[in-house]
Amino acid sequence: MSAGLAATPMPSAMPAPAPARNAVPWLLTAPAFVLFATLLLAPLLLTAVLSFNVYDAATGVKAGQYTLEHYAHVFSDDYYLAIFWRTFWISMLVTLICVAVGAPEAYVLSRMRNPWRAVLLLVVLAPLLVSVVVRAFGWSMLLGPEGLVNGLLRALGIGPVKMLYTEIAVVVALVHVMMPFMVIAVWTSLQKLDAGVENAALSLGASPFTTLRRVVLPQVMPGVLSGSLIVFGLSASSFAIPGLLGGRRLKMVATVVYDEYLHELNWPLGATVALVLLAANLVIMLSLNRMVEGRYKKALG
């Protein structure tokens, strides 16, 4: 009888109820969600409420009184429309330059051998170790009337060219600041690329350019897309570069928000401009993401 009892299997532990199992992911992500809501959603909601507050030049913000006047003012004033247009075309130009330069640069880096690949990758990422303000002051000295660039132009007989406090200075500095983000994004996609597919295309008679265009480029489009979204978003919301190299006359949206908050003390209008910039950025970036993803899926079947 004792042997029969010993052979009897012990009952297994009862499985956890389904509601308890479903609650585990929520409990694990709750701290991160609370932190996200505290640091991002709450300030964003408060900014949205502030954008509807009535503002009086004599008494300031009137709590409890709301209006749509600030939004109507932003969308009907040519001054703000011109600033938004300047911000977006500069951001798009910076993005296109970063794609045209950063994607081939990342491709060359991915084909290099160590130690040169590590050295050049460190060179590409080195600007991230320096403050944006320091880099902006560096470009202001390079592009100034007595800077190195104008000195070379004088030596070539072209003469001094006004570059500081123009769109040229802002675009050049933003490309310099944003280029590492594009290279990192594309280089990461290239690390996932199967070299056998490229070799197969070459062995079947495709030229290197055709292989690059038909095989490599479609597979690295997610990296190009993510890099473009990062560069465009950061360029459109950049403050230090336009503020230091654009001057007081060449304003972008971030500098206008700064002026409304700290110079004019019109916080509701500054909040309105900031939220309009956020909404426009989301629309443009989601549209670009949808367009590029559609072509990526079509290319890969």
Side-chain angles (χ1 to χ4, degrees):
M1 182 179 294
S2 61
L5 291 175
T8 303
M10 296 295 292
S12 59
M14 295 296 293
R21 291 199 305 269
N22 295 336
V24 170
W26 293 101
L27 293 175
L28 292 176
T29 57
F33 179 77
V34 171
L35 183 64
F36 173 79
T38 304
L39 298 182
L40 180 63
L41 295 183
L44 191 61
L45 180 61
L46 293 175
T47 303
V49 173
L50 178 61
S51 67
F52 292 102
N53 278 125
V54 174
Y55 173 77
D56 184 84
T59 59
V61 181
K62 296 186 176 181
Q65 300 183 28
Y66 303 99
T67 180
L68 294 173
E69 179 184 354
H70 308 300
Y71 286 93
H73 182 57
V74 169
F75 285 109
S76 61
D77 195 330
D78 292 338
Y79 171 74
Y80 293 103
L81 296 178
I83 290 175
F84 274 99
W85 168 246
R86 179 187 300 123
T87 299
F88 290 134
W89 80 255
I90 287 179
S91 301
M92 187 59 68
L93 179 60
V94 170
T95 304
L96 293 176
I97 296 175
C98 286
V99 170
V101 178
E105 183 178 353
Y107 181 77
V108 172
L109 283 174
S110 67
R111 292 298 183 266
M112 297 183 71
R113 297 179 180 273
N114 283 326
W116 294 110
R117 180 170 61 183
V119 171
L120 292 180
L121 189 60
L122 180 62
V123 171
V124 172
L125 301 180
L128 296 177
L129 304 176
V130 183
S131 170
V132 176
V133 177
V134 174
R135 283 180 278 176
F137 276 118
W139 279 110
S140 67
M141 290 186 289
L142 287 173
L143 301 176
E146 304 299 327
L148 179 61
V149 176
N150 269 316
L152 293 175
L153 294 177
R154 287 193 190 93
L156 296 174
I158 301 177
V161 178
K162 179 177 175 55
M163 290 177 286
L164 195 60
Y165 306 130
T166 65
E167 288 91 346
I168 297 175
V170 176
V171 170
V172 169
L174 282 177
V175 168
H176 175 240
V177 171
M178 302 302 168
M179 187 64 70
F181 298 104
M182 178 63 68
V183 174
I184 292 172
V186 178
W187 188 76
T188 303
S189 293
L190 286 168
Q191 298 310 299
K192 303 176 183 178
L193 186 64
D194 187 3
V197 178
E198 187 176 356
N199 294 331
L202 293 172
S203 65
L204 291 173
S207 65
F209 178 74
T210 303
T211 302
L212 183 65
R213 182 173 60 89
R214 301 288 296 274
V215 177
V216 176
L217 184 59
Q219 296 188 71
V220 300
M221 280 306 295
V224 176
L225 173 61
S226 60
S228 300
L229 295 179
I230 293 172
V231 170
F232 182 86
L234 293 178
S235 299
S237 58
S238 176
F239 169 73
I241 297 296
L244 295 175
L245 298 179
R248 301 300 303 167
R249 294 184 179 180
L250 186 66
K251 291 183 179 296
M252 292 177 66
V253 175
T255 55
V256 171
V257 174
Y258 175 85
D259 289 341
E260 294 296 341
Y261 266 96
L262 296 184
H263 291 171
E264 304 296 331
L265 299 180
N266 192 343
W267 290 10
L269 184 57
T272 301
V273 176
L275 289 177
V276 172
L277 173 64
L278 175 62
N281 264 342
L282 289 176
V283 170
I284 294 173
M285 294 170 70
L286 290 176
S287 302
L288 180 62
N289 180 67
R290 186 180 182 86
M291 179 181 66
V292 175
E293 273 195 349
R295 293 187 177 183
Y296 169 70
K297 293 178 180 178
K298 183 178 179 181
L300 295 182

